C-alpha cells in the first residue's frame, strides 16, 4: 500500500476538517438535553459511512440512542471484520477549566504533539478514533484494495453503559456475524512506542445514600446526640481500605487472578518513568496498594474509588447544620474472573453491615460489566502487531489497560468473537477531562495503520 502514505499527506486538510465538523456536535449521552445532538451525530456518521463506500448503511432504532450500522460485503468466503466505536461523548464539565470551548475544536501544538492536537470533547474518546476507521475504509474502497468484508457498528451510549447496544447485539446475531471485532477506543504507550491493549478492567458502579434524622438539624441543638450522616458516610468509606490499601470487603479478592512472577517481569519491561508520571500530575508521591508497582496498580489490580460525594451545606459562608442525608458515587474497577454482579452484591452486603443502627443505608446499582483479557498468539494480534511495526517502525508491546469497555465481554458471550484493541490515544490526551485532545499524528497514523491490519489479517486467515 505504497500510495496510502501519500493519500494521507495529500488529503490531510480534508481528513482533519471532517473530524472537526463531527466534533462540533455535542453528543453527550449522559444528559437528555443533548438528545437532538445525539440524533444529528448518528446521521453524520451514517453519511460518512455512505461516502466511505459502504453498500448498506442504516440508523437502527433501539429503546435508547440509535446505532449506526454499515457494511460492505465483497465475498462471503473472505473474513469479516466488525468495527465497533462510539459517537457519544462525556459531559464537558467543569466547563470553566477548558482553555477553549469543548465543542469548538481547535488545533494547537504541544510538547507531546509537535504536529498539533485537536482540542475538543470526544477528540480522542472516541469520535477521532472511530473516524479513523471510516476514513481508512474510504481509502480502501476508493483504491479498490479492500481485502475482506467489513461491518461497522457505531453506538451512542458507551459512556452511559451501552444498554441499548446489549439489546441490539442480542437481537442481531446474524447481521453482526464476524471473524474479528476491531476497536480503537483505548490508548498506546507513546508516539514512539506503540502498544496493543490486551486487557480491560471490569466495572461495578454504585451509589450510596446514608439517612440520619428525618430533617436537617441545628448542629448546636442536636450536635453530639444524633448520627451525622456525613460523618458516618466518610467513616464508612474510609474503612473500605486497610493500611496497605487493600479493599476490606469480605470476598472481594477471592477470584482475582494473580499474575505469575514471569508475567509481572514481562509487564515491567514496558517503558515507564515514575518521575515523569509524577511530574505530569504534579504529585510528590504515588499512592496505592502495597506490593504492586504503579503500572500493576492501574491495570491488573482491582480498585475502589469514590467518584463524587455530597450532602449538607456547601454554599458561601457557614451554615450550622447536621444534614439529614449524605451521598456518594463509588466505582470498583475489576480484573478478569471477578464477576461484576457478584462484586456489587458483596459491596452492598458489606456496606449495610458496617453501618451503625443510627442511620439507614440505601445502595443503588448503576451500570457495570466484565473485564477482558486476550492472548497474543492469535492471527488478529499478530496482524495488528505487523501493521504497527510497518507504520511506526517499532514492534508494539502488549499492555493491559485500566479502563473499561464492558461491551467487549458481551460481544464474546453473544457473538462468540474476540476483539482486537488497536488504540492510538495517549494517557495524556485527557479523555473525560477538560482540554481533551487527540494528536494529528495519532489520527493520521491510525488511518495509515488500519488498512494494513485488514491486509495482514486477511492474508493470514486464508
Ligand atoms: N474509551 C474508554 C475506555 C478506555 C479508555 C479504555 C482508555 C482503555 C483506555 C471508554 O469510553 C470509557 O470511558 N469507559 C468507561 C466505562 C463505561 C461503562 C462508562 C470507563 O472506563 O470509565
Ligand atoms: Mn471510549
Ligand atoms: Mn469514555
Amino acid at each position: 500500500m505504497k500510495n496510502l502514505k501519500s493519500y494521507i499527506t495529500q488529503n490531510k486538510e480534508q481528513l482533519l476538517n471532517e473530524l472537526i465538523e463531527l466534533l462540533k456536535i455535542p453528543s453527550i449521552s449522559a444528559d437528555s438535553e443533548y438528545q437532538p445532538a445525539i440524533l444529528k451525530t448518528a446521521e453524520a456518521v451514517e453519511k460518512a459511512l455512505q461516502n466511505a463506500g459502504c453498500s448498506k448503511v442504516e440508523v437502527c432504532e433501539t429503546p435508547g440512542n440509535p446505532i449506526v450500522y454499515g457494511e460492505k460485503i465483497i465475498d462471503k468466503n473472505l473474513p469479516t471484520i466488525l468495527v465497533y466505536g462510539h459517537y457519544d461523548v462525556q459531559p464537558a464539565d467543569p466547563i470553566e477549566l477548558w482553555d477553549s470551548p469543548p465543542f469548538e475544536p481547535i488545533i494547537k501544538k504541544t510538547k507531546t504533539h509537535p504536529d498539533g492536537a485537536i482540542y475538543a470533547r470526544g477528540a480522542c474518546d472516541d469520535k477521532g478514533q472511530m473516524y479513523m476507521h471510516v476514513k481508512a475504509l474510504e481509502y480502501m474502497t476508493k483504491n479498490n484494495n479492500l481485502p475482506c468484508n467489513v461491518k461497522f457498528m457505531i453506538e451512542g451510549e458507551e459512556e452511559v453503559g451501552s444498554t441499548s447496544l446489549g439489546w441490539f447485539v442480542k437481537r442481531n446475531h446474524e447481521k453482526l456475524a464476524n471473524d474479528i471485532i476491531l476497536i480503537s477506543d483505548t490508548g498506546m504507550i507513546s508516539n514512539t512506542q506503540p502498544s496493543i491493549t490486551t486487557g480491560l478492567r471490569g466495572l461495578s458502579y454504585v451509589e450510596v445514600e446514608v439517612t440520619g434524622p428525618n430533617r436537617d438539624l441545628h448542629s448546636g441543638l442536636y450536635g453530639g446526640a444524633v448520627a451525622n450522616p456525613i460523618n458516618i458516610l466518610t467513616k464508612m468509606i474510609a474503612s473500605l481500605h486497610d493500611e496497605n490499601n487493600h479493599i476490606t470487603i469480605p470476598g472481594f479478592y477471592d477470584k482475582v487472578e494473580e499474575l505469575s512472577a514471569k508475567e509481572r517481569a514481562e509487564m515491567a519491561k514496558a517503558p515507564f518513568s515514575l518521575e515523569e508520571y509524577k511530574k505530569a500530575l504534579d504529585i510528590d508521591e504515588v499512592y496505592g496498594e502495597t506490593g504492586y508497582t504503579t503500572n500493576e496498580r492501574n491495570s491488573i489490580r482491582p480498585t475502589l474509588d469514590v467518584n463524587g460525594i455530597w450532602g449538607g451545606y456547601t454554599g458561601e459562608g457557614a451554615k450550622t447544620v447536621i444534614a439529614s442525608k449524605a451521598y456518594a458515587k463509588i466505582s470498583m474497577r475489576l480484573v478478569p474472573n471477578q464477576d461484576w454482579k457478584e462484586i456489587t452484591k458483596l459491596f452492598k452486603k458489606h456496606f449495610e453491615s458496617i453501618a451503625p443502627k443510627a442511620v439507614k443505608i440505601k445502595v443503588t446499582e448503576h451500570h457495570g460489566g466484565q473485564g477482558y483479557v486476550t492472548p497474543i498468539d492469535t492471527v488478529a494480534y499478530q496482524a495488528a502487531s505487523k501493521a504497527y511495526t510497518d507504520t511506526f517502525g517499532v514492534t508494539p508491546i502488549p499492555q493491559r489497560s485500566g479502563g473499561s469497555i464492558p461491551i467487549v465481554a458481551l460481544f464474546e458471550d453473544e457473538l462468540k468473537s474476540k476483539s482486537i484493541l488497536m488504540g492510538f490515544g495517549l494517557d495524556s490526551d485527557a479523555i473525560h477531562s477538560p482540554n481533551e485532545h487527540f494528536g494529528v499524528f495519532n489520527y493520521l497514523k491510525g488511518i495509515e495503520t488500519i488498512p494494513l491490519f485488514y491486509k495482514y489479517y486477511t492474508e493470514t486467515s486464508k
Side-chain angles (χ1 to χ4, degrees), residues 70-91:
E71 65 175 37
K72 184 156 179 79
I73 308 295
I74 56 170
D75 180 349
K76 290 239 146 58
N77 297 314
L78 284 169
T80 301
I81 295 175
L82 172 66
V83 176
Y84 162 79
H86 61 95
Y87 66 79
D88 65 319
V89 302
Q90 284 276 322

Side-chain angles (χ1 to χ4, degrees), residues 86 125-126 158-159 185:
H86 61 95
D125 185 12
D126 179 42
E158 197 279 341
E159 299 293 6
D185 193 22

Side-chain angles (χ1 to χ4, degrees), residues 188-190 192-196 198 262-274 276-277 293-296 298-299 381 394-401 427:
M188 57 178 190
I189 293 174
S190 75
T192 48
Q193 179 55 70
S195 53
I196 297 174
T198 50
K262 194 169 157 246
E263 285 170 302
R264 291 177 69 182
E266 204 50 51
M267 261 190 84
K269 284 188 194 158
F272 175 73
S273 156
L274 188 58
E276 276 172 35
Y277 185 85
T293 66
T294 295
N295 275 336
E296 289 172 340
N298 68 24
S299 66
Y381 186 92
V394 185
T395 309
I397 295 175
Q399 198 186 41
R400 287 222 218 162
S401 171
D427 283 356

Side-chain angles (χ1 to χ4, degrees), residues 1 52-55 71-75 78-81 83 133-134 136-152 450-455 458 462:
M1 295 192 188
C54 281
S55 43
E71 65 175 37
K72 184 156 179 79
I73 308 295
I74 56 170
D75 180 349
L78 284 169
T80 301
I81 295 175
V83 176
H133 287 270
V134 177
L137 173 66
E138 186 169 317
Y139 164 79
M140 290 184 281
T141 58
K142 277 190 181 158
N143 290 278
N144 270 321
N145 57 13
L146 176 68
C148 59
N149 305 313
V150 58
K151 296 176 178 175
F152 270 70
I450 291 161
L452 293 167
F453 171 79
Y454 278 58
K455 177 175 179 275
T458 307
K462 270 180 196 161

Side-chain angles (χ1 to χ4, degrees), residues 66-136:
I67 290 161
V68 189
Y69 175 83
E71 65 175 37
K72 184 156 179 79
I73 308 295
I74 56 170
D75 180 349
K76 290 239 146 58
N77 297 314
L78 284 169
T80 301
I81 295 175
L82 172 66
V83 176
Y84 162 79
H86 61 95
Y87 66 79
D88 65 319
V89 302
Q90 284 276 322
D93 352 53
I95 207 142
E96 64 279 7
L97 296 183
W98 285 76
D99 295 330
S100 58
F103 298 105
E104 293 172 30
I106 57 158
I107 298 183
K108 276 196 294 190
K109 290 195 164 87
T110 69
K111 227 175 120 208
T112 316
H113 296 293
D115 296 340
I118 311 172
Y119 280 75
R121 170 58 84 228
C124 176
D125 185 12
D126 179 42
K127 281 177 177 165
Q129 297 212 68
M130 175 271 287
Y131 210 65
M132 299 179 316
H133 287 270
V134 177
K135 292 285 113 181

